[in-house]
Amino acid sequence: MLIETLGSARDLGRAQEIAAVFVRHGLGDLVRRLGLADALEKAGHALRIEHAADLARIEPPVQLRRALEELGPTFVKLGQILAGRADLFGPDWIAEFNRLHSRVPAVPMEALRPQLREDLGGEPEDVFARFDTEPLAAASIAQVHRAQLKDGTEVVVKVRRPGIQDVIAADLRLLERLAASVEQDWPALRPYRPRALVREFARSLRRELDLAAECRHAERIAANLAALDDVVIPRVHWQHTGERVNVQDFVQGVPGEDLERIRREGFDAPLLARRGARAVLKMIVEDGFFHADPHPGNVFYLPGNRIAIIDFGMVGQLSRRRREELLALLLGLVEKRPQAVADVLIDWAGDHHHGTDLGALEDEIEAFVDQYHGTPLAQLHLGQMLADVTTILREHKLALPGDLALLIKAFISLEGMGRALDPGFHMATEAQPLLRAAVRARYQPQALAARGWEALREGAGTLAQLPHDLSRLVRKARHGRVQVAVELADLRRAGDQIDRAASRLALALVTAALIVGSSIVMTVGGGPTLLGLPAFGLLGFVGAVFGGVVLARSVWRGKHHQNDDE
Ligand SMILES: Nc1ncnc2c1ncn2[C@@H]1O[C@H](COP(=O)(O)OP(=O)(O)O)[C@@H](O)[C@H]1O
Ligand SMILES: [Mg+2]
């Protein structure tokens, strides 16, 4: 299959280059097993695969890392994403993936100028009051120059490397084909969903290529974090921003990597760690739209212990359902409830657990969580626990859904950053109140009690969720471990509120019936009259008015009650 697609593809040249790099780094076997060697040979591009003796001594993870580095941005990014997949790779591979760095030599100004001129609508020196031709930083996708706007604002101009899009597009096409052929020819790898993995990765990388999208992400996150006044996100200057270049405020702060200066300039490092963690946790659990790369290179510290966050090229997104599952998982870890953790993980493994012994998996997860029994919150390493839990998945040949890989990566890098600032930093301690609040907000039954129609609509929502919840319940029942935790206080409150809602609904129904009934009686005529109107009809209306007043009062009181609660 790979043979035909490659033969007809325009990407043959690049395929050969990739194969050659792999071979050069001692990964000829891999090239052969992927069918790449055959495909190229059929297309008339023979590969010489020979074993250099000195290469045999290098560990395969190191060989792969070097090959990825040489292959450029697509493969470096792929490796960086795979670093978050403890569910797919062992620790020696993950360690090498983490070693991939994306700093590369800068594109010289002459090579950059034509594209920049086109995008800015003039020479950079004319568009800006000042433009530094020497870049501040150069990475695989873009490089960053300092400049000053005509109004005096200090900015940075991020420019996409010319021609990078074509290379990445070709690489992604090849990777997609490779994944498809792997999925077809290697049934053993199917549970790891290589095609889905590459699809997810391609989407994220294509998004990262669009420098305007990066600014849209920045603004969205800035809006979500507006209430946190100790977090700063640079302003975007849209008049100069497009797909290949963006302009944002220059952040004049202490770089996150410069721990020495942070200490010297009297920053409150533990406070910084706490504030950073709170911001990222809020993005993840509350907003479901988060910075996927919160490492020290993307952070600056400002006077007043404020934190500036930059670089929104890679963002993660979590659906509401995922967020709720994640909440359950994290709370399960923090509060050491193994069953909760197992439930979520088995859900995540989805329909791909054929042949997996779920009972054994649950036992192992329980044992894992139980080993932390009695460990104080402050000693739980949440990021590491998440990674360990995914390792358990790997050992059972289960894969995580792709959208969670970014999340776990973000978590681990956040915890690392916090701990570098403050050895006493504990993610679990920071996370618990936030997680609790999020769960509480979710189960607040206020909406149910106060407003009749809204309750009905919400009811419909619950109903839609019911099949999912039921299937979970049934699955648990099958394993013979349905666990029921009853919290009486909450139950009584919820019960009261439902009770109140039901009485109101009944009252509303009776009132409505009275109005309708009375109207009919009014039109029939005959019988006793009062003030010239049929007496029973009139009585009915009086009753309806009374019912209406009682209803209105009860709703109004209910509202006040709630406000007092808050
Ligand atoms: N707004 C900014 N203010 C100050 N420095 C910045 C700003 N944006 C980027 N930089 C510098 O450029 C580097 C690379 O920019 P970044 O947006 O992180 O791109 P990349 O995706 O390549 O990491 C940063 O690590 C930082 O040193
Ligand atoms: Mg960066």
Side-chain angles (χ1 to χ4, degrees), residues 509-529:
L509 276 177
V510 170
T511 307
L514 270 177
I515 295 172
V516 175
S518 312
S519 306
I520 295 170
V521 171
M522 284 285 208
T523 55
V524 170
T529 58

Side-chain angles (χ1 to χ4, degrees), residues 285-326:
V285 288
E286 278 182 29
D287 310 327
F289 190 79
F290 60 93
H291 193 299
D293 205 10
H295 68 80
N298 289 333
V299 165
F300 290 92
Y301 299 116
L302 307 176
N305 293 306
R306 286 173 310 142
I307 301 172
I309 307 174
I310 62 162
D311 192 3
F312 298 87
M314 205 190 282
V315 287
Q317 212 157 353
L318 295 174
S319 67
R320 170 177 290 278
R321 177 154 151 223
R322 273 270 190 279
R323 227 150 61 223
E324 290 178 355
E325 292 165 344
L326 179 71

Side-chain angles (χ1 to χ4, degrees), residues 205-222:
L205 188 55
R206 288 193 182 112
R207 194 141 66 142
E208 212 178 328
L209 275 176
D210 180 356
L211 296 192
E214 174 179 338
C215 292
R216 288 196 296 276
H217 302 155
E219 290 199 332
R220 179 163 168 193
I221 287 177

Side-chain angles (χ1 to χ4, degrees), residues 371-555:
Q371 76 185 348
Y372 291 99
H373 193 81
T375 310
L377 203 54
Q379 277 161 33
L380 289 183
H381 296 188
L382 210 46
Q384 193 50 51
M385 283 176 94
L386 269 181
D388 288 349
V389 159
T390 52
T391 306
I392 296 180
L393 282 187
R394 176 166 56 83
E395 283 160 5
H396 285 263
K397 300 207 172 356
L398 293 172
L400 277 179
D403 57 344
L404 290 163
L406 275 183
L407 173 98
I408 289 180
K409 191 167 151 56
F411 239 90
I412 292 172
S413 92
L414 177 65
E415 196 164 38
M417 189 162 80
R419 199 138 308 147
L421 278 170
D422 170 19
F425 171 79
H426 300 294
M427 185 89 134
T429 319
E430 294 313 314
Q432 196 184 30
L434 219 119
L435 298 176
R436 281 250 177 86
V439 170
R440 221 179 299 123
R442 183 181 153 205
Y443 285 115
Q444 209 70 276
Q446 299 170 345
L448 206 76
R451 291 159 232 98
W453 281 119
E454 223 167 281
L456 251 174
R457 244 184 290 140
E458 287 205 357
T462 312
L463 216 59
Q465 180 67 21
L466 197 60
H468 174 66
D469 289 347
L470 269 180
S471 80
R472 275 175 68 147
L473 193 66
V474 169
R475 200 189 57 231
K476 275 198 254 173
R478 232 186 284 130
H479 289 290
R481 17 170 125 225
V482 179
Q483 214 180 43
V484 183
V486 183
E487 289 202 24
L488 274 180
D490 278 357
L491 196 64
R492 206 172 301 128
R493 238 186 90 193
D496 285 346
Q497 276 163 323
I498 291 169
D499 217 342
R500 228 182 302 147
S503 345
R504 274 186 215 150
L505 208 57
L507 189 55
L509 276 177
V510 170
T511 307
L514 270 177
I515 295 172
V516 175
S518 312
S519 306
I520 295 170
V521 171
M522 284 285 208
T523 55
V524 170
T529 58
L530 202 67
L531 308 168
L533 294 168
F536 287 118
L538 203 60
L539 214 62
F541 274 125
V542 171
V545 169
F546 182 70
V549 169
V550 171
L551 197 61
R553 244 175 51 121
S554 145
V555 171

Side-chain angles (χ1 to χ4, degrees), residues 77 102-103 136-142 144 156 158 208 214 234 248-252 257 293 295 297-298 300 310-313:
K77 288 276 173 193
S102 38
R103 292 292 166 230
L136 203 60
S140 48
I141 292 180
V144 172
V156 299
K158 193 166 175 177
E208 212 178 328
E214 174 179 338
Q248 55 187 290
D249 278 355
F250 173 72
V251 178
Q252 182 90 57
E257 289 130 332
D293 205 10
H295 68 80
N298 289 333
F300 290 92
I310 62 162
D311 192 3
F312 298 87

